[in-house]
Every structure is written in C-alpha cells, then in structure tokens.
Amino acid sequence: MASGGAAAGRFPFPYTPYRIQEQFMEALYGALEAGRVGIFESPTGTGKSLSLICGALSWLRDWEEKRRQEETRLLALGASGKDGLTPQQARPGSPDAAGEPDWVTAFVQKKEERDMVDRLKEEQIRRKKREDHLEKIRHNVQLKYAAKRKRCEEDEAKRLLQLSKEALPQGAGEGVLDQLDHNEEELILAEYESDDEKKVVSGGEEDDDDLEEEHVTKIYYCSRTHSQLSQFVREVQKSPFGKDTRLVSLGSRQNLCVNEEVRRLGALQLINDRCMEMQKNKHEKKSDEGKKRRVSRTVCPFYSYEQMQFLRDEVLVEVKDIEQLVSLGRETKACPYYGSRFAIPAAQLVVLPYQMLLHEPTRNAAGIKLKDQVVIIDEAHNLIDTITCIHSAEVSGSQLCCAHSQLSQYMERYRKHLKAKNLMYIKQILYLLERFVAMLGGNVNQNPGCQAVSQTGTVLKSINDFLFQSQIDNINLFKVQRYCEKSLISRKLFGFVERYGHPASAVKTNKENQKLAGLQNFLLTLQQGSGKEAGTPQSPPLEAEHDHLRTASPLMQIEGFLSALTNANQDGRVILSRQGTVGQSSLKFLLLNPAVHFAKVVEECRAVIIAGGTMQPVADFREQLLCCAGVDPARVVEFSCGHVIPPENILPIILCSGPSNQQLEFTYQTRDLPQMMDETGRILCNLCNVIPGGVVCFFPSYEYEKQVYGHWEKTGLLSRLAAKKKIFQEPKKANQVEQVLVEYAKCIKRCSQTGGQMTGALLLSVVGGKMSEGINFSDDLGRCVIMVGMPYPNIKSPELQEKMTWLDKRMPRAAGQAPSRVLTENLCMKAVNQSIGRAIRHQKDFASILLLDHRYARPAIFNKLPQWIRERTQVKPAFGSAFAELRKFYRGKLDAL
C-alpha cells in the first residue's frame, strides 16, 4: 500500500483525504487496471463518492495517457517502415518464396500493421477534431450567442407563419370533419413487416462521422435514484476533475422530456410511446408530404438534430446534472433525452440509473456499449433484488379482461383499415389474453369483478408448464413481443380508449360509434367491479383522472409479462394467484436467477465495481450473482474499509434480556406475547431517560409496530414514554414521510434549546420502510438506533419459498448450512445493516446502536454485521450492565461538548 503522501500525489483530491480514502482509491485503481470484478464497501460518512470519482478518473487519465504514448510509438514505427515489405521479408531464406507460409505470415502481419497505423491516424484526426471543436465552444462565447440568436429568429419566423395561416379564411363545417378523420387516422396501425430490421436514421442530413463516432474508453456510473445521481454529479463538479471531464447524465423520458404536451401524460409508458410515435411521424415526413397537416401536429418541436448536436456539445464542455440538462434543453429548444444520448460516444463518464444499465433492451436502445468499458454500480446493497424486480412482471385479471375488451373493440372498428399481418397479430394477442384469464379460472367475455374464483390460493409453475397448460406453446412469443414493440399497438390502443373509452368524450351518433358504447359501459363496470369507488360523474376527483391515465391501456403492463415469459425455463417461475374474483387474481413472473441478466455485463466489461456503504454479507454477491454469471473466483476482489469516526464515538450493544430479566427473542411465536411487548416498552423508557436528542427505533414490520403501539397505549407505557420524548410514527404513505421528518427534527431542536423534562423525540420506524434507507439521522437526529428483534423475511411467501427451493437445488451447502437458510439470514442482516447505518454520518458524530435479541450474539449472525460495527460491539446478557455502559457513554459525550 502506498504511503499517504504518494497516494495524495497520485490521486488529485479536493482536500487532504482520510487514510481509508487513500486505501480505497489504491484498491479501486488496482482493480480497474487488472480488469477485476470488485465488491467495495465504504461506510456512509467516509466520503465514498469522492473516493470513487478521484480513484476511477485517475485511472482513466493514466490509461488515456498510456494509450496516447502507445499510439505515438506505433505511428512513428509506421512512418519509418511504410513502403511495403523489404526484400528480406518478401523472401525469408528460401528461393521459392511463393509457397512459403513464413512469407504469407509476414505479408499478412505487415498488412495488419499498416491497417492499424491507418486506423490510429484516423482516430487521432477524429479525436483532435472533436477536442478542437469542444475547446472552441468552451472559449468562444460568441458562438453560443450566435446559435441562440439563430434559434430566436427561427421561432419568430414560425410564429409569423402560424399567424398568417390562421388569418386565411377557412371552410368551417367541412374542415372540422376532415380534421377529425385525420385525428382518427393516427389510431390505425401502420403496415407491419415482421422481419423488418431496418434502423431508422435519426434526423435529416447528419454527418456520418458523428453517427458512427467511436466510443472512447469510459466509466459508466449508476445508482438507484435520480437524487443520488444528481448528488454524485455535484461531487464531480466539486472535485479536481470537474473542469476537464466529459460527463453526461442519462435519465428516463419522465425526467428529461421538455415537451409539456407529452409530460402531461404522467405515466412513463405513455410518455415513452407518445415520444416514439412523434419520431415515427418525423421519419415518415419525407415520404408522406401529402399529409402535412397531420405531421406538423404530431412531430416533436424539440427533436431537431441541429439543436441536439448543439446540446450535445454543451453537455460535453461542462459537467451538468439532470436539472441543468433539462434547463439547457428548454433554453436551446433541444431534446435532452436524445441530445444526451448523442454525447455518450465521446463522454468519459456516463451517469445513469440502474434500470438503464441492467436491462439489456433499454441499454441497447440508449446506445450504451459495454465492450471493454468500466462499470461502477453504487448503492449496490440491493443489486440482486433490483435485477430480479426489473425482470419480473405482474398482471391482474382486471387488466387482462380490460385489454381483451379494448383490443376487440379496436379490431372491430378498424378491421377494414388494417392489413392482414396486423389482424393476425391482434388475433394472437386476443387469444393469449383469453388463455391467461382461463388460467385464472375465468371467462374473458364476462366482468372480472363479478366472476368468483372456485379454487383460491397460489400455484407456482415453470415457464414451460405454464405455456403448455395455457395452450399457447404453439405461439412464438418472441415475434409477438417484437410486434408490440415495433407497431406501438399499446399506444394506438391508448389513443383509441382516450377517444372513446370514457363518457367525457362526445361520441357522435353514427352506427359505428354506437357500437363503442359497449366499451364505455364495460370500463365503467370494471372500475366498479375492482372495488374502487366510482365517483359521481359531475365532479370526478383529480386522482381518479390520473388513475384512468395510468391504467387506460393495460396492454402496456401485459407486454412486460409477455417479455418475461421469453426467459429460459429454469430461470423463472409463473405464480398464479387466485383470489376472491378473477379481477383480483393475478399472474406474476418471478425471476429466480438474476445472474443470467448480469452475465453479459461482467463478460463484456473490462472491469465491474459493485460498491455500497453496507455490502455485508457479501456471500450473496459472490455466489448468487457472480458465480452463477460464470465469473472466475480469481477475478473477484473484495475491499472493505473502516469508519472515520474514533472508536469511542460509537457504542453498539447486543442486549440479551430486559430490565425484568425477560429473555429477548422476537420470533413469530413469541413476539406477540404481552410480556415481550412490555419488556420492549420498559427498555425504551429507561433509555429515553439517559439518551439526549433523537432515538430511532426500528420494528420488523408496520403491522408489528402498530400492534406494539396499541399495547403500550392500553398499558399506559406510551404516556410514560411521551413524558420524556415526543413520539412520531413512520407513515405508510411516501408523500407524508417528509412532513414527519420535518416535525421530528423541529421537536429535537426545540427541546435542545429550551431544556426541561422533554429531552427530544422518539421515531418508531420500520425495517425496509422509507426511513431505513437513504435518510440521514446525523447528530441529534439519531443519538441512538434501536433494532427490535430480527427482521427475517416472511418464509410463507410463495416467491421466497420457490427461491429457497431453487437455491437448495443449485448451490452447495456453506459451512454445513443449507443455502436457503443462508439466504434468509442474509436478507435479514442486510436489512439490519442498512437500518443501523443511518446514525453515524460524519467524523465527529456519535451514537449508540442497540440490537434487542439474544440471537444477534450467535457467531453466524454476529459475523454478518459490518466490520466497523462488529469490532466495537459488546454483548450484554443483563440489562443493568448495558444501561450503566450507555449512561457512561452519553455523560462522557455531553461533558465533552
């Protein structure tokens, strides 16, 4: 390991790094250089983001420099021996050189060298051209203003043209009818060719060099949420690499779209489909000049190649986060979603959400090429679950019946206008929907809300069994999936339902339109049948309107399920959940082997780094993900660093019994006992007497937290607790979390300022809830974190049972334990580690951590705690000694303040 001084010189850093940051960067640099798959753990508060940025970009800088030197050397060699083969090489030692393999080899080798030199020259010219162009933009402010002025002039010209058109006299009645026909024309599916693989070229007279621009070596950095990515970009901006790194942020259309008409659709799938349809119209524009009125209405004004090129250059010149990118898109009248994609080939650092990198179709659509690149996956503690969720899908009986009804009505209305291929695929989709509903025990032509299911319960089937039993094994699902994707059928169906599917739309009373009344009535009965209150037509609430938007085309959801069924038979299961009615029943695809979707990432990339604040226990990553993805164990490297806080600033305690010597064991059988709930209350009452500020107490589930709270209310324990700390409960609704946290923080601040009997606040939270991840309880907000019991997952869940069975069949036993047992322990401890890591957030912070259950002291469990917590943990069999230790800890801290 390099000394502090050497590391500081090697890794530019905005301040003097901690020793553990230097170690992190050294290990990261080594893993990238050697092309490893690394599992990196650095606790929150230790500056992980900056370590990742400075370590990875230092490697990239050095790698680019080495590559430039190698290019220069090869080009110099090429220049000195460029005039073909020398006579000696042409006749290597034999008079009859024509038949000599040596001569052939030499000739081929020489040709390869010449080709390589030519290629390097081209690359060098292209790189120089790009660098000069970006440099020019960076330093020439006039260029920016010229482009801006040009845009303003174009906007003004368009506005005047529009005013002129409006001023022209129009034939009133006839024109309106004609316009309606054009509107409806958009709902009809275009002719479909199943093996049409033609790629549509984006835009008009583009420069081929730009389209086929070579992807430079880059780092793909992905994280879980939009806010985490924005935070990372801000860290890059503050770092020494902020000025000269070509960074591009990618996101979904939902985050990046600047077309208000499209944004208003709300649901991601609707936004995606509308955007793609607008582009399709743009590409049809040249071959379809006769329909100018229709095209001009549906082409996106922001999809201008010239403006997106300008946006691309602006993005590469200066580091921008998603918000800045959207502002730039609005200002330049350019689409940030596509403009940012144009920047990928030249970018050195691409920042993107998990789904975009881990889902292959999305990755390909975005133009992401992983070959020989570096991938860093941050906040990766839930990586296995994330991959599983991305590739799993669920559809309800209501959605299946609704889609069947909509599609039947659509086919009836436009039968005469649809080509044979379209009709064939629509009939196939209708047949699939019919069979899926039959598998749930229902009839697709009856109201799903009124059809009772005779055999309720949950059944799991392999993919092949499901396909055979539903009698759809003779249908090529790959082709159906491709048809849905290319024809945009769900978008057309949404437009159709939007137009005719609800009473608000004024349907004209001709014969064809009268038929559609059936669809309206059906949709209304569906809404009532699915248990939702049908609001009065006079005042439809806004939320109901939004619901209608979200579920208007259930075919969108069903497409995801069809796609999931194309997985290999052994890698997934179909779960048939038959509840009360067909409408409430559902089909769910469960991915059992996430490694199949991760394998391509680790195969193609030069190096992959999986990083997080709490990666323990890492066995899951090694065995379920990397080993199953075919990664050689020798390629995997692990790094875990300690915390920056001094050992005396943290006091982790495993408490085995309470104040009345009741053993603490919160199993499903014992946790509901009154004495267990009483003992938990007594522990909290005692702790709240000595702990200042905020106390966060985690329960295994919302139900148990509610049960305990109710019990304390009855016994009077709650009022005793409330005398010391104001009590807050974690809300179930995500939109209420912020408000509760604000009130919690205000209360703690008020108590610390005024003094008195009330010493702060107690927050009752839930493991896996909104407050166990991503929220900082630093300083007074979390002076103590308490974990009540062990949050084991519900082993009665059919999904978990199937996963456990699958693991037991596929994985070897580890240290005498069945893989299924290891899985449940790991899931439990991952959740515990995430929750208890909320308290210590910076070097000067201090807090205690209490684990209330004697089972935490078992070696198999104890060893799954993060190393920096495990090293300092005390196991206390009796409450007295634990309480004395805590009182001493807080007295010492408060005296030092």
Side-chain angles (χ1 to χ4, degrees), residues 674-688:
Q675 59 264 40
M676 287 302 289
M677 294 190 273
D678 288 341
E679 199 73 338
T680 308
R682 282 192 282 270
I683 292 167
L684 281 174
C685 279
N686 279 294
L687 296 180
C688 289

Side-chain angles (χ1 to χ4, degrees), residues 246 263 274 280 374 433 460 476 656 669 689 696 742 815:
R246 298 190 300 277
R263 281 174 71 88
R274 182 70 180 137
K280 220 173 179 185
V374 168
L433 296 171
L460 279 99
N476 186 331
C656 301
Q669 292 78 27
N689 283 329
V696 185
V742 167

